[in-house]
Amino acid sequence: MTPAELAEVVLSAAHAVFTDRGLDRSALPERVAVERPRNPEHGDYASTLALQLAKKVGRPPRELAAALAEQLGRAPGVKSVEIAGPGFLNIRLDAAAAGVLARSIVQAGPAYGRSDRLAGERINLEFVSANPTGPVHIGGVRWAAVGDALARLLRATGADVGTEYYFNDAGSQIDRFARSLLAAAKGEPAPEDGYGGAYIAEIAAEVLTRRPDALGPDDAAAQEVFRVEGVALMFAEIKSSLRDFGVEFDTYFNEKSLHDRGELDQALNRLREQGHVYETEGAVWLRTTDFGDDKDRVLRKSNGEWTYFAADCAYYLDKRERGFERVVIMLGADHHGYIGRMKAMAACFGDDPARTLEILIGQLVNLVRDGAPVRMSKRAGTVVTLEDLVDAIGVDAARYALARYSSDSMIDIDVELWTRATRDNPVYYVQYVAARTASVGRNAAEVGLARGDAEAFRPELLDHEKENELLKALAEFPAVVATAAELREPHRVARYLEDLSGAYHRFYDNCRILPRGDEDVTDLHRARLWLNDATRTVIANGLHLLGVSAPERM
């Protein structure tokens, strides 16, 4: 019995109690929650329903709890119900009700943990969005891991998600990039405000290979060639490195298309219609202070140039007009000041920013070796890149390490820790369970042990304390997935997998799955094999949500 199934049993019992006692059933909620108590001695699950309903119906909580306990005690699968404190219900399941979950998980396979909790939501999820002026640095890699995991979680809970990478191929940064390439091609030092690193020379050389005529007498024309060709080459490299990292986007959106299609003018006109645009000193402004921003924002400068903020407005409107009801944007730590202006901008369009716009801020990441930060890439010159991180610890460890922590916390990634084949390496600890459960399956086949028909499964035999502990951990997976999606916190899945791995190790150490020597295969062996395979399923499903492999051998 899963927590969701038990919650339905509790709600059904409440309906019966209210009917028998003539209480107002409109006071009953549509759904109830059951939780695992911190102390296992308090039962398998706990409910506070009696406390929640007592005041609504004018009955003492313990009196209502007693009625609920009596009704619940008659429900199939419920072994006992105890009342604690002011009216808590501590519920214990019988072994058969608990054990049948193993079969349900194996039969569900990859679908176990999925739900329709967010069904009907259309979400645009933008992450990474690094400018094509250099390789993806380690901060962007964090968003690649977290953003891709979040997209998987949202889809697993029923949301319609479009992932998006927005890149700036216009503006001053691209001009500096083009000047840097041109200087490298001419054998000159990088401009004072330009970009350095070996990759600039590499790209400049590639541009010359493609366009031998790029260096002409007109520097302005040459710079334009290096801008167009250089951006294309740099972005192709970014896409390739992200693809190797297991991250691909549904849409790659370039800022220049907003200018080319006249969408900045369209956004400005829409904002004018809403009454929030004014002009002063030749510039066009958006009155974002009407909606809590600390100052109004310039849309178009007095010289006629559009601002980056104007492009932000047009891009937001473009997403909304493509049918996305919620726009989620992941930004780095240095973008915290964007939240107020972006929320105000959404309100200026007439939207409710609490419903349509969500901005997640990620903190810094340091790569550490021998206790000291790795401060720069050999190739990029100033930053640690995606390739540096992958070269140091591998794709699986990098994705797991970056997704394991709340994105609003700074993290240090210790190269020694994340490459260690020991239990203190979190990704190794979890992947080892994936491999061990697969190994058990192979060894079982060699000795003639098979799960057998589902109808012959004997769940009541799984009555050992460690079996019960593992079953309860497996039962929590769907709720963990739903909560991680709703709170935008993929790290909850990683921490859950580590707890589940600990529960499996304790089960494995205390409950022999395979028969010894000439020992006959029994129903207990088969039941434990179901539990082993259920664990393999959940570990694999959870790792998939993080974009990490579930190896069969290690």
Side-chain angles (χ1 to χ4, degrees):
M1 185 182 300
T2 67
E5 291 168 341
L6 178 58
E8 289 296 323
V9 171
V10 172
L11 185 58
S12 177
H15 275 279
V17 168
F18 272 49
T19 299
D20 291 345
R21 298 186 172 227
L23 301 175
D24 182 9
R25 288 195 297 175
S26 66
L28 291 170
E30 290 186 5
R31 62 177 65 181
V32 301
V34 295
E35 300 176 348
R36 287 177 61 183
R38 292 183 180 178
N39 186 346
E41 294 181 1
H42 294 166
D44 297 326
Y45 295 98
S47 172
T48 59
L49 184 61
L51 295 170
Q52 297 169 29
L53 296 176
K55 187 173 182 179
K56 292 182 179 180
V57 297
R59 296 294 178 91
R62 283 189 66 90
E63 176 188 320
L64 197 55
L68 285 169
E70 181 182 356
Q71 185 68 33
L72 269 174
R74 295 196 289 266
V78 176
K79 182 178 180 180
S80 65
V81 184
E82 298 173 357
I83 303 169
F88 296 104
L89 293 171
N90 291 334
I91 306 166
R92 286 182 170 81
L93 303 180
D94 62 35
V100 75
L101 176 67
R103 179 177 60 197
S104 299
I105 291 172
V106 173
Q107 291 176 329
Y112 183 69
R114 304 182 71 88
S115 71
D116 59 358
R117 184 76 66 90
L118 300 181
E121 288 199 28
R122 288 208 68 205
I123 299 174
N124 180 281
L125 178 61
E126 179 199 339
F127 56 100
V128 183
S129 294
N131 289 331
T133 55
V136 179
H137 62 74
I138 196 168
V141 183
R142 183 177 198 176
W143 277 137
V146 174
D148 188 63
L150 180 54
R152 292 165 184 253
L153 282 164
L154 292 170
R155 287 169 175 149
T157 47
D160 180 2
V161 180
T163 58
E164 197 143 316
Y165 187 118
Y166 176 79
F167 65 99
N168 170 2
D169 56 347
S172 60
Q173 291 186 36
I174 299 299
D175 290 339
R176 284 162 36 211
F177 178 62
R179 291 200 305 272
S180 301
L181 293 175
L182 178 58
K186 295 167 70 174
E188 299 174 354
E192 187 175 337
D193 62 346
Y195 295 92
Y199 77 95
I200 291 291
E202 292 170 8
I203 293 174
E206 181 63 25
V207 172
L208 288 175
T209 299
R210 290 184 172 201
R211 294 286 303 273
D213 61 339
L215 288 176
D218 185 346
D219 272 2
Q223 182 176 314
E224 179 61 15
V225 171
F226 279 93
R227 186 193 72 79
V228 173
E229 297 288 345
V231 165
L233 287 166
M234 189 72 255
F235 195 62
E237 181 179 321
I238 289 172
K239 289 173 69 173
S240 176
S241 62
L242 287 170
R243 188 180 305 114
D244 291 343
F245 196 58
V247 179
E248 294 199 56
F249 292 83
D250 298 319
T251 301
Y252 294 92
F253 195 105
N254 61 313
E255 180 189 348
K256 190 171 181 294
S257 66
L258 294 170
H259 295 263
D260 294 344
R261 295 196 298 258
E263 291 192 46
L264 279 81
D265 285 304
Q266 295 169 23
L268 176 59
N269 292 337
R270 181 74 63 86
L271 292 167
R272 282 189 194 279
E273 292 169 3
Q274 295 291 327
H276 302 297
V277 173
Y278 67 94
E279 297 185 23
T280 183
E281 299 179 355
V284 180
W285 297 70
L286 183 64
R287 192 176 286 107
T288 53
T289 52
D290 286 349
F291 298 99
D293 195 7
D294 59 344
K295 62 181 180 181
D296 292 341
R297 304 291 170 174
V298 178
L299 294 172
R300 190 156 56 193
K301 302 175 186 178
S302 57
N303 63 4
E305 291 182 1
W306 293 101
T307 63
Y308 283 120
F309 183 66
D312 289 338
C313 295
Y315 186 38
Y316 171 80
L317 183 61
D318 182 277
K319 291 177 179 179
R320 294 283 288 121
E321 292 189 336
R322 279 186 273 148
F324 291 107
E325 297 154 355
R326 182 180 291 271
V327 173
V328 181
I329 307 173
M330 296 179 160
L331 298 173
D334 57 340
H335 288 74
H336 202 280
Y338 278 53
I339 297 176
R341 75 187 74 169
M342 293 292 286
K343 291 280 189 179
M345 172 266 290
C348 287
F349 276 118
D351 285 346
D352 175 4
R355 185 181 64 82
T356 64
L357 179 61
E358 192 173 335
I359 298 177
L360 307 178
I361 300 293
Q363 293 300 320
L364 300 175
V365 183
N366 295 308
L367 185 64
V368 177
R369 179 183 280 112
D370 298 327
V374 177
R375 298 210 174 270
M376 65 177 58
S377 165
K378 292 180 181 178
R379 181 166 181 261
T382 55
V383 295
V384 176
T385 67
L386 188 160
E387 287 81 3
D388 296 326
L389 180 60
V390 171
D391 287 346
I393 65 175
V395 171
D396 277 350
R399 290 193 60 134
Y400 193 97
L402 291 165
R404 184 179 184 259
Y405 302 92
S406 173
S407 57
D408 60 4
S409 63
M410 290 183 60
I411 56 174
D412 290 334
I413 297 179
D414 188 320
V415 173
E416 283 74 23
L417 170 65
W418 289 96
T419 54
R420 199 177 294 157
T422 57
R423 292 165 69 105
D424 58 344
N425 175 351
V427 70
Y428 179 86
Y429 186 61
V430 175
Q431 288 185 315
Y432 184 75
V433 172
R436 172 171 269 188
T437 52
S439 174
V440 167
R442 291 192 299 272
N443 293 336
E446 290 178 2
V447 299
L449 170 60
R451 292 195 307 262
D453 294 339
E455 293 75 17
F457 173 54
R458 298 278 305 280
E460 70 276 9
L461 297 178
L462 299 175
D463 59 359
H464 190 282
E465 175 189 358
K466 299 307 177 184
E467 293 166 341
N468 183 258
E469 178 187 348
L470 179 55
L471 284 162
K472 284 192 288 186
L474 293 169
E476 293 299 315
F477 183 59
V480 169
V481 173
T483 301
E486 290 175 340
L487 298 181
R488 319 304 193 228
E489 295 181 342
H491 70 273
R492 290 175 177 267
V493 175
R495 298 308 177 102
Y496 163 81
L497 291 175
E498 291 164 36
D499 290 342
L500 175 62
S501 297
Y504 177 80
H505 285 306
R506 290 187 289 275
F507 156 72
Y508 184 88
D509 292 342
N510 288 274
C511 304
R512 185 163 183 82
I513 303 171
L514 304 178
R516 287 188 175 92
D518 295 333
E519 183 182 0
D520 290 337
V521 172
T522 67
D523 286 339
L524 178 58
H525 293 127
R526 296 187 186 94
R528 286 176 173 170
L529 186 57
W530 278 95
L531 185 51
N532 175 84
D533 293 355
T535 305
R536 164 89 189 164
T537 298
V538 174
I539 290 286
N541 291 357
L543 286 172
H544 174 74
L545 291 172
L546 301 178
V548 177
S549 68
E552 295 193 357
R553 289 179 170 84
M554 289 184 70

